[in-house]
Amino acid sequence: MTTLKDSITIQAPPVKVWQILSNPNAMELWNPKCVRCRTELQSVKTGDQYQATFKMTGPEYECQCDVIEALPEQRLITRYHGGLVFKPDCYVDEIFQIVPKEQNTYLSQTVGLKYSGIPLWARLIMGFINRFGYQAGTGPLDGIKQLSENNIY
């Protein structure tokens, strides 16, 4: 497996979900692994770049974030690379797909690990856990749902 997938239904219109997803400064509010994301960008467009700091299991690390595709209220693809954690030519793509569903929004997230530099055996374990395990704590989609439904952002 080279991808991790998740999805959620949000009781808010796609425009509200997009408002949260497309502003990098909001990332630390919805992504529990994002420690810092400071940029002057208020809403990304295809080709934009910014820096973000994440903390997984070890020390914090900063990486470059490239907006590969930004289709308002439809899809956002961001590529994470560089910094101390990624080897040259390695990256992770994160894809958010927004689909209107009656009065709600269906939001899916796909994280592509194929070119991450993570060994295949580790990607397979991660994929297995993602598919058959359960999530401990809140994840990014839960954060986006909370912000969207409660009009916090």
Side-chain angles (χ1 to χ4, degrees):
M1 271 196 195
T2 59
T3 59
L4 305 177
K5 297 180 180 185
D6 200 3
S7 62
I8 198 165
T9 298
I10 299 173
Q11 295 177 354
V15 66
K16 185 64 178 172
V17 175
W18 179 256
Q19 179 184 9
I20 293 164
L21 273 179
S22 66
N23 186 339
N25 295 299
M27 189 187 313
E28 61 192 69
L29 299 175
W30 56 263
N31 187 337
K33 298 193 182 325
C34 181
V35 176
R36 208 169 20 268
C37 186
R38 299 281 189 252
T39 176
E40 294 191 17
L41 298 171
Q42 295 301 310
S43 183
V44 297
K45 62 184 183 314
T46 301
D48 282 343
Q49 297 178 326
Y50 58 93
Q51 301 285 322
T53 303
F54 295 91
K55 180 166 179 56
M56 302 297 196
T57 56
E60 293 180 3
Y61 65 91
E62 187 173 88
C63 66
Q64 177 76 26
C65 308
D66 297 342
V67 180
I68 304 301
E69 183 177 51
L71 296 174
E73 299 175 41
Q74 297 175 49
R75 183 173 39 253
L76 178 64
I77 303 174
T78 306
R79 177 166 292 165
Y80 302 94
H81 63 94
L84 298 175
V85 74
F86 289 102
K87 297 175 185 174
D89 300 322
C90 292
Y91 59 87
V92 169
D93 285 342
E94 182 174 44
I95 303 165
F96 287 101
Q97 189 76 34
I98 299 170
V99 178
K101 185 178 179 184
E102 298 171 2
Q103 301 298 318
N104 302 318
T105 300
Y106 175 79
L107 179 65
S108 66
Q109 175 194 35
T110 303
V111 180
L113 301 173
K114 184 175 183 178
Y115 301 105
S116 65
I118 298 171
L120 178 60
W121 65 267
R123 292 194 321 257
L124 290 171
I125 291 171
M126 292 168 70
F128 182 85
I129 292 169
N130 176 251
R131 183 169 178 158
F132 299 108
Y134 67 92
Q135 184 173 322
T138 60
L141 297 184
D142 298 313
I144 295 167
K145 178 180 175 85
Q146 181 182 14
L147 292 174
S148 299
E149 292 181 351
N150 297 319
N151 289 314
I152 294 173
Y153 186 81

